[in-house]
Structure formats: structure tokens, C-alpha cells
Amino acid sequence: MLTLRKFLTLGNVVLFLALWWAAPTLLPHLGALVGVRSGPEAAPAYTYVGLGGAPITSDSLRGKVVLVNFWATWCAPCRVEMPVLEAMYQRHRERGFVIVGLAVDRAPTAEVAAFVRAREITYPIAHVGAEAERTFGGVRGYPTSFLLDRTGAIRHTVLGPIGAVSLEPAVRRLLGE
């Protein structure tokens, strides 16, 4: 019993609770870094209309590595992540990489489009509703990213703004396949 008391310090209990709380968020990022699949075994079918009016469909993106990113204009971590995603898109688009941003805002589409223009985001973005989240199996928070392989199957799902950093190695691996 004495050994258990030494272990059950306030610091150890707080550390254990923090790790228990953070594990569901951090483990998918680690999986993407090392190549362990962390998404559902699904190839979602979707059709959206981009902010510029062009269709964005799962069929038209088949053969490409696609990062589907759910975000919102009111989401501070999403705002932080967007320039990193834009840089990743610019680095890899010539090799068949596409980012599809799915804005979940309740604001009018014109406001979302103005937000995107002001930040000089060039990857395709659509303004979507809750049905888009259901298509990908649900979203627990924003930003959430789904990395799809060239067949359209979800290979990795990550939550949080470090998604672009942890997904970079996964994108490179999928582009090399």
C-alpha cells in the first residue's frame, strides 16, 4: 500500500488524467506520422459546389491524394492552420495532391468567400452543412482533417491544428504509392 501511495501523488494523477483526455486526439497524429492507418475503412462519395461555382466530387478527385479539411471562420485553430495547409497544397499539388476545405459556418456563403479571399487560400473550398460531416463519419471538433488515398479511401483522420504538420509525412507516403 505504501508504494501505491507514493505513486498516487497529485502530479501523477493530473498527468494521467491529461494523457487520458489527450490520447484520442494525439494518437491519430502519431499514426499519421509513422504510417499507421487511423481512419475508418470507407471511401465516401460526395458532391459539393465550390465557392467559385465549380463542382467538387469524389469521382473527379479519384486518382489524387485528397485532404478534406473541416473548418469554420470562427475557429481560431482553423485560422492558424490555413496558411500551413496552403503551403502544403502549393508544395505537393503538382504531384497530384488536393486539399478540399469544407467550411461549416452558418454565416452566408459570401462571408465565407470573403474570408478565404482575404487569406489568399487557393485550394478548393465549399460551404457545407452537417450532412457533409456525416458523409465522413462525423466530426468531433474543428479543424478535423481526413486524408484520402488515390482510391478515395480514408487513410488518416486527425483533429486539431497540428494536422498539417503530422499529415505531411502521410501525404508524402501516399503520393509515392
Side-chain angles (χ1 to χ4, degrees):
M1 189 68 181
L2 184 60
T3 312
L4 184 59
R5 278 194 176 167
K6 281 185 175 180
F7 178 75
L8 287 177
T9 65
L10 179 60
N12 285 346
V13 170
V14 169
L15 177 62
F16 172 77
L17 291 174
L19 289 173
W20 179 72
W21 174 79
T25 300
L26 295 177
L27 288 177
H29 290 278
L30 293 173
L33 279 170
V34 298
V36 176
R37 187 179 206 131
S38 64
E41 298 284 331
Y46 52 88
T47 299
Y48 307 117
V49 177
L51 294 178
I56 302 169
T57 70
S58 52
D59 289 339
S60 68
L61 294 173
R62 196 85 63 225
K64 297 184 182 292
V65 174
V66 180
L67 180 68
V68 177
N69 178 255
F70 285 87
W71 66 280
T73 59
W74 47 261
C75 167
C78 300
R79 291 173 178 224
V80 169
E81 182 180 60
M82 289 181 94
V84 178
L85 290 176
E86 177 66 25
M88 181 189 292
Y89 174 63
Q90 294 301 328
R91 256 191 322 276
H92 300 297
R93 70 184 187 162
E94 296 294 321
R95 294 181 54 209
F97 176 64
V98 177
I99 296 176
V100 175
L102 299 180
V104 297
D105 285 77
R106 290 187 180 158
T109 301
E111 286 182 30
V112 174
F115 178 90
V116 170
R117 274 192 310 278
R119 282 154 185 80
E120 299 179 349
I121 302 301
T122 62
Y123 53 84
I125 293 185
H127 192 192
V128 299
E131 77 286 344
E133 293 177 0
R134 288 190 292 276
T135 298
F136 285 85
V139 172
R140 293 186 329 217
Y142 305 107
T144 293
S145 296
F146 297 89
L147 184 61
L148 287 62
D149 64 19
R150 292 182 189 274
T151 69
I154 298 172
R155 294 286 287 271
H156 300 287
T157 302
V158 297
L159 171 65
I162 63 171
V165 174
S166 60
L167 286 171
E168 178 77 25
V171 166
R172 288 182 183 166
R173 271 192 305 278
L174 290 176
L175 287 171
E177 288 182 359

